């Protein structure tokens, strides 16, 4: 009980190191999710409204990539961006930039797969109507995206939740450096191993609170605008 | 050219089932062509093939018009709508047809008056009855007067008053030079329309 009280005290005191960790976590994950979401909307809307050879194979690959192990993503990025790697000259290892890239790779198949499913379903329902209106492919895609806007928000939130809770890749490529690449999940791992359970717990509670706030936001958005 | 469509040896197969078998016929310009026949004869499939919603397995449809300069509309037996209000569905149709946004409201107001649907404009489409949906569907396809109108069972779920309303609208289009191709068995509607009949059975046209 004392531990729990101390954890909440950490949250409400908003001390500098706690705030830095939360802000960096949100910055990295929101940035990665936004990039991933924009790319996913473009690709998923194209795939769902176009017939081409290999469409099923691409869908299978996207779905399979959802289970991409984060530590493998981290390891591959580490090999590529380490000093002796082919992109080592970019010098982004142990920086927020490579953490964004890692989360982007992990989150993209999840968002794309969810969008592909809802865009395809909506297109199957509306395709005859849109054809009968002699509309262009561009307007067809716009209609499909607009008509599934609630599902698009859900896919973004799912992606953001996945990015925020990710630890394996960011700890490898970010290095969990204080004031530079330390995010909530990597910090929880470190503080737990150091026995600083109250700080670890307050970060864990923060993660849950963020998830809760996001879900409340979805509900409000759905009722007001969607 | 007197014929707007010339259909040559048209067939359509779905898996191993032949829905349309070797049909050849002409659709006259500026007339109403009514496709009739029992259930499962392939009437709707033929309508979709001629419009271009589905592609034939074999055969050819010659379109004697410039597709870029002609307004073609298709009205479904079970109309499909976006889950929005009637007004928003109409606005979406105008968006798809590349009509300048500044003209949307005036076009909608004018057409809604013609169809006597003023009270429905801001109602959610999901709250309308089958007959009302048919009328809104015709209204949507009429926002820009179609040169060719494909109409699948136009009077489904409609009462006598609305059948007469649709009959008047179709006659008006005919006078304006539109070509109408429709599937219908509604004698009340057909008796007021000067039309040619294509009788179908088991995927073939019997009276060519």
């Amino acid at each position: 009980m004392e531990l729990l009280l101390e954890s909440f005290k950490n949250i409400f005191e908003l001390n500098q190191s706690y705030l830095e960790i939360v802000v960096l976590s949100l910055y990295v994950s929101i940035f990665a999710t936004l990039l991933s979401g924009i790319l996913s909307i473009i690709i998923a809307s194209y795939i769902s409204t176009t017939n081409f050879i290999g469409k099923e194979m691409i869908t299978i690959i996207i779905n399979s990539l959802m289970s991409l192990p984060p530590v493998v993503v981290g390891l591959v990025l580490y090999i590529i961006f380490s000093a002796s790697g082919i992109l080592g000259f970019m010098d982004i290892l142990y920086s927020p930039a490579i953490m964004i890239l890692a989360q982007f790779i992990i989150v993209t198949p999840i968002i794309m797969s969810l969008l592909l499913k809802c865009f395809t379903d909506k297109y199957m329902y509306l395709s005859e109507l849109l054809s009968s209106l002699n509309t262009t492919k561009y307007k067809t895609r716009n209609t499909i995206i607009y008509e599934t806007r609630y599902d698009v928000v859900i896919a973004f939130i799912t992606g953001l939740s996945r990015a925020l809770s990710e630890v394996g890749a960011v700890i490898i490529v970010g290095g969990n450096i204080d004031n530079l690449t330390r995010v909530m999940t990597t910090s929880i791992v470190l503080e737990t191993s150091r026995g600083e359970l109250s700080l670890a717990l307050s970060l864990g509670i923060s993660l849950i609170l963020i998830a809760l706030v996001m879900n409340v936001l979805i509900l409000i958005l759905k009722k007001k605008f969607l | 050219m007197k014929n707007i469509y010339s259909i040559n040896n048209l067939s359509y197969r779905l898996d191993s089932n032949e829905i349309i078998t070797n049909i050849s016929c002409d659709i006259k310009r500026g007339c109403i062509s009514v496709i009739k026949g029992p259930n499962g004869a392939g009437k709707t499939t033929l309508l979709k093939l001629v419009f271009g919603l589905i592609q034939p397995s074999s055969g050819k449809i010659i379109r004697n018009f410039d597709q870029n300069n002609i307004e073609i509309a298709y009205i479904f037996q079970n109309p499909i709508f976006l889950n929005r209000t009637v007004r928003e569905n109409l606005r979406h149709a105008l968006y798809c047809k590349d009509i300048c946004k500044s003209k949307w409201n005036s076009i909608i107001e004018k057409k809604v008056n013609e169809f006597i649907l003023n009270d429905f404009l801001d109602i959610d489409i999901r709250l309308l009855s089958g007959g009302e949906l048919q009328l809104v569907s015709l209204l949507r396809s009429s926002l820009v007067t179609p040169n060719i109108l494909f109409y699948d069972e136009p009077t489904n779920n409609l009462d006598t008053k609305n059948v007469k309303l649709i009959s008047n609208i179709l006659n008006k289009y005919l006078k304006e030079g539109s070509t109408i191709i429709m599937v219908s068995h509604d004698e009340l509607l057909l008796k007021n329309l000067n039309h040619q009949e294509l009788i179908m059975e088991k995927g073939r046209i019997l009276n060519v």
Side-chain angles (χ1 to χ4, degrees), chain B residues 53-79:
Chain B
L53 275 179
I54 51 176
Q55 297 307 311
S57 307
S58 63
K60 210 170 183 184
I61 300 167
I62 299 164
R63 295 173 171 87
N64 298 313
F65 53 84
D66 177 7
Q67 279 179 281
N68 296 321
N69 296 318
I70 201 160
E71 185 59 39
I72 310 176
Y74 190 106
I75 304 173
F76 295 92
Q77 190 172 359
N78 298 308

Side-chain angles (χ1 to χ4, degrees), chain B residues 7-173:
Chain B
I7 300 165
N8 297 322
N9 304 318
L10 194 75
S11 293
Y12 179 74
R13 276 180 294 277
L14 197 61
D15 300 324
S16 58
N17 302 318
E18 192 149 65
I19 316 282
I20 298 288
T21 310
N22 207 28
I23 282 181
S24 294
C25 65
D26 294 318
I27 307 287
K28 287 179 190 154
R29 190 184 297 270
C31 292
I32 298 185
S33 301
V34 179
I35 307 169
K36 294 172 95 175
N39 291 340
K43 305 181 294 290
T44 298
T45 306
L46 179 61
L47 203 67
K48 286 182 177 178
L49 281 166
V50 178
F51 179 82
L53 275 179
I54 51 176
Q55 297 307 311
S57 307
S58 63
K60 210 170 183 184
I61 300 167
I62 299 164
R63 295 173 171 87
N64 298 313
F65 53 84
D66 177 7
Q67 279 179 281
N68 296 321
N69 296 318
I70 201 160
E71 185 59 39
I72 310 176
Y74 190 106
I75 304 173
F76 295 92
Q77 190 172 359
N78 298 308
I80 305 163
F81 291 98
L82 308 178
N83 289 336
R84 305 191 211 168
T85 63
V86 172
R87 187 192 298 275
E88 284 168 337
N89 271 280
L90 300 178
R91 288 169 73 92
H92 174 260
L94 291 167
Y95 163 76
C96 288
K97 287 179 183 291
D98 269 336
I99 306 294
C100 176
K101 201 173 180 180
S102 60
K103 294 179 182 168
W104 288 3
N105 283 340
S106 61
I107 293 174
I108 290 171
E109 294 300 331
K110 188 182 155 205
K111 288 290 177 182
V112 160
N113 284 332
E114 194 179 317
F115 281 74
I116 325 165
L117 283 171
N118 311 52
D119 296 341
F120 295 92
L121 257 186
D122 293 307
I123 291 179
D124 191 314
I125 204 84
R126 287 166 286 196
L127 300 175
L128 299 189
S129 70
E132 288 160 350
L133 288 175
Q134 278 288 346
L135 281 177
V136 174
S137 182
L138 178 60
L139 167 58
R140 180 173 59 187
S141 67
S142 310
L143 290 169
V144 179
T145 305
N147 303 103
I148 308 173
L149 178 64
F150 289 80
Y151 212 159
D152 195 355
E153 301 278 7
T155 51
N156 256 2
N157 309 312
L158 289 185
D159 55 26
T160 315
K161 185 184 134 208
N162 283 321
V163 170
K164 282 180 184 162
L165 175 68
I166 286 196
S167 173
N168 291 339
I169 290 164
L170 295 181
N171 267 321
K172 185 174 160 253
Y173 286 162

Side-chain angles (χ1 to χ4, degrees), chain A residues 21-22 25 29 99 103 161-171 176 181-192 200 203-204 207:
Chain A
I21 291 168
V22 173
S25 288
S29 298
M99 292 161 72
Q103 291 196 350
S161 305
R162 181 71 188 86
L164 275 169
S165 61
E166 202 287 313
V167 60
V170 288
I171 208 163
N176 199 19
T181 59
R182 186 163 296 169
V183 289
M184 284 193 275
T185 49
T186 57
S187 189
I188 290 171
V189 172
L190 178 75
E191 300 304 337
T192 307
L203 288 166
L207 267 174

Side-chain angles (χ1 to χ4, degrees), chain A residues 122 124-136 138-144 146-147 149, chain B residues 48 51 53-54 71-74 76 79-84 92-99 140:
Chain A
K122 191 56 89 176
M124 281 174 73
Y125 175 67
L126 291 177
S127 62
E128 285 198 334
L129 166 68
L130 293 164
S131 302
S132 74
L133 291 169
N134 295 312
T135 192
T136 59
Y138 170 74
K139 288 188 174 180
T140 295
R141 285 180 200 127
N142 280 355
T143 302
I144 299 296
Y146 187 76
E147 288 305 303
R149 57 201 181 282
Chain B
K48 286 182 177 178
F51 179 82
L53 275 179
I54 51 176
E71 185 59 39
I72 310 176
Y74 190 106
F76 295 92
I80 305 163
F81 291 98
L82 308 178
N83 289 336
R84 305 191 211 168
H92 174 260
L94 291 167
Y95 163 76
C96 288
K97 287 179 183 291
D98 269 336
I99 306 294
R140 180 173 59 187

